[in-house]
């Protein structure tokens, strides 16, 4: 089935149930609300900068995806008739389609409930099914929560040779 038709239910540690699905071009307002609702620290950890008001261009880059070269999953919870974004995992492939650069962000109120792990596990499964060689992610070295999660998921850590404040995580998917 195409990625846009896949859905996964997930029970959060500490209670609560979310739906994990692919992001589509119809999610622009939810994506904007999600980014604007992140704390300054969460925005910095995700974008390596403050992104108080994301541009139309950035929102389009984050929601207009082909589902092959760019894949993004969102955890949502019903909020009346709408859906509220709780967390997003994504990757985009390099031109030779062998390696994907991945990212993860979970809204502040939903951290430490194993939501990031669930989003990343589904993303990794999709990358494996697509025969991607490896996933990599750049993060601030100070982000100890990300370090713990990436270690748990099997990513290997190395220092960023270009920036001592950053580390690079890599997961080999070919094995």
């Amino acid at each position: 089935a195409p990625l846009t038709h896949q859905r996964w239910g997930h029970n959060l540690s500490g209670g609560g149930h979310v739906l994990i699905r692919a992001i589509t071009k119809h999610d622009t307002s939810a994506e904007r609300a999600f980014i604007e609702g992140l704390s300054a620290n969460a925005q910095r950890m995700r974008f390596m900068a403050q992104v108080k008001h994301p541009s139309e261009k950035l929102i389009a880059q984050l929601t207009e995806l082909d589902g092959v070269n760019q894949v993004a999953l969102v955890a949502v919870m019903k909020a009346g008739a709408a859906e509220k974004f709780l967390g997003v995992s994504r990757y985009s492939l390099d031109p030779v389609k062998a390696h994907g650069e991945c990212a993860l962000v979970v809204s502040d109120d939903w951290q430490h409930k194993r939501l990031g792990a669930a989003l990343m596990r589904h993303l990794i499964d999709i990358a494996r099914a697509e025969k991607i060689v490896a996933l990599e992610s750049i993060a601030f070295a100070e982000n100890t929560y990300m370090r713990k999660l990436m270690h748990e998921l099997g990513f290997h850590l190395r220092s960023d040779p270009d920036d001592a404040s950053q580390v690079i995580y890599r997961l080999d998917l070919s094995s």
Side-chain angles (χ1 to χ4, degrees), residues 111-130:
Q111 291 177 10
H112 312 293
K113 297 178 186 293
R114 312 292 305 141
L115 187 55
L119 282 162
M120 286 301 295
R121 284 201 168 90
H122 287 295
L123 194 73
I124 290 164
D125 289 346
I126 292 165
R128 275 206 175 96
E130 293 294 328

Side-chain angles (χ1 to χ4, degrees), residues 78-133:
K78 282 282 182 214
E83 286 178 330
K84 179 180 170 65
F85 279 24
L86 309 180
V88 175
S89 64
R90 62 176 65 242
Y91 68 74
S92 60
L93 296 183
D94 63 3
V96 284
K97 299 182 176 21
H99 296 81
E101 184 176 337
C102 63
L104 170 70
V105 61
V106 174
S107 72
D108 300 77
D109 295 346
W110 296 92
Q111 291 177 10
H112 312 293
K113 297 178 186 293
R114 312 292 305 141
L115 187 55
L119 282 162
M120 286 301 295
R121 284 201 168 90
H122 287 295
L123 194 73
I124 290 164
D125 289 346
I126 292 165
R128 275 206 175 96
E130 293 294 328
K131 307 283 189 265
I132 293 166
V133 175

